[in-house]
Amino acid sequence: MVKLDAVNPASIEEATRRVEEQLDGSGLNLVINNAGIFSDVSLATVDSEEMLGAYKTNVVGPMLVGQAFLPLLKKAAQGSSQKGLSCSKAAIVNISTVLGSIERVPETFSNPAISYRCSKAALNMLTQCQALSYAEDGILCAAVHPGWVQTDMGTQEADLPVDESVRGILTVLPTLSEKHSGSFWSWAGKTIPW
Ligand SMILES: NC(=O)c1ccc[n+]([C@@H]2O[C@H](COP(=O)([O-])OP(=O)(O)OC[C@H]3O[C@@H](n4cnc5c(N)ncnc54)[C@H](OP(=O)(O)O)[C@@H]3O)[C@@H](O)[C@H]2O)c1
């Protein structure tokens, strides 16, 4: 276990250094950007501090982590004999949410969560940009919605126990290939519109 504060560049740098030591010359195959924050705010209650805080953790963090681990991901891709892109070769998976889908807003707006959904929509954009930028390095990039999960964030009223969501995600990831880079998946293996 290596500690990493995803909004602190010095902490990310320290974590990459420690991971590199652990890898002992090998590359890193998979980065999952899971850290995220949620606030139950509407347009009537959200303020700039709340927006910027959500953006920092939910978008800037995954961007910085992707940049920092890029050399190790590239190394994994270069050292792999696999053709195309895959999560077992080299990949960045950004844990997003259906609340970040602009197309699905009319269905999901009963929970406005303005700062959360705007920051996750930006994370979805980041995912596409990473996919296009890092494809030439052999790195697959995708966004994944874990479902409504029984965590501190999701509460115990959520649909899914953590293990079911995680099992679903671990089933989806090995099915992703080159044609899926820059796409948005649910834990159940369905694509979600941006
Ligand atoms: N639960 C759901 O229903 C649901 C639905 C859709 C998407 N998601 C997404 O799934 C991911 C995981 O959420 P969760 O449900 O597990 O939420 P959670 O119960 O609130 O846990 C969030 C985790 O993120 C960590 N974290 C927050 N800021 C961080 C930072 N700056 N650096 C490092 N770690 C940080 C927290 O660490 P500390 O405990 O140390 O603060 C905590 O372990 C999030 O990206 C969330 O948006 C969740």
Side-chain angles (χ1 to χ4, degrees):
M1 296 276 270
V2 174
K3 258 176 112 167
L4 186 158
D5 176 357
V7 298
N8 179 341
S11 166
I12 297 171
E13 199 178 313
E14 171 65 12
T16 48
R17 203 184 54 69
R18 293 200 50 204
V19 169
E20 190 169 8
E21 269 170 26
Q22 292 289 320
L23 287 167
D24 199 19
S26 302
L28 179 69
N29 300 102
L30 182 60
V31 169
I32 299 181
N33 281 307
N34 180 62
I37 55 171
F38 170 91
S39 286
D40 192 8
V41 286
S42 68
L43 270 180
T45 55
V46 71
D47 59 19
S48 66
E49 196 183 339
E50 167 55 40
M51 280 305 272
L52 293 172
Y55 203 87
K56 200 168 176 188
T57 302
N58 295 345
V59 196
V60 180
M63 182 196 75
L64 294 176
V65 169
Q67 288 172 328
F69 283 96
L70 187 60
L72 288 173
L73 287 162
K74 278 185 185 176
K75 191 181 253 190
Q78 281 158 8
S80 169
S81 55
Q82 292 180 44
K83 297 227 179 320
L85 304 182
S86 69
C87 288
S88 56
K89 181 175 176 179
I92 297 174
V93 173
N94 293 325
I95 302 297
S96 184
T97 167
V98 70
L99 298 186
S101 164
I102 292 173
E103 193 171 319
R104 299 278 293 272
V105 173
E107 293 161 53
T108 61
F109 205 60
S110 57
N111 183 356
I114 296 297
S115 52
Y116 183 67
R117 61 169 72 237
C118 290
S119 62
K120 291 289 190 172
L123 176 66
N124 291 347
M125 172 60 84
L126 174 73
T127 307
Q128 270 285 15
C129 297
Q130 289 173 323
L132 290 175
S133 302
Y134 298 156
E136 65 189 27
D137 299 312
I139 301 165
L140 182 150
C141 302
V144 171
H145 165 57
W148 185 24
V149 192
Q150 292 160 5
T151 60
D152 287 348
M153 184 186 292
T155 76
Q156 287 311 299
E157 285 167 33
D159 294 333
L160 292 172
V162 170
D163 59 349
E164 199 176 331
S165 167
V166 171
R167 248 198 313 274
I169 293 170
L170 292 179
T171 304
V172 172
L173 296 189
T175 68
L176 303 183
S177 65
E178 195 149 348
K179 64 178 186 239
H180 305 122
S181 196
S183 57
F184 187 11
W185 293 86
S186 78
W187 66 281
K190 303 237 159 41
T191 52
I192 299 178
W194 296 116

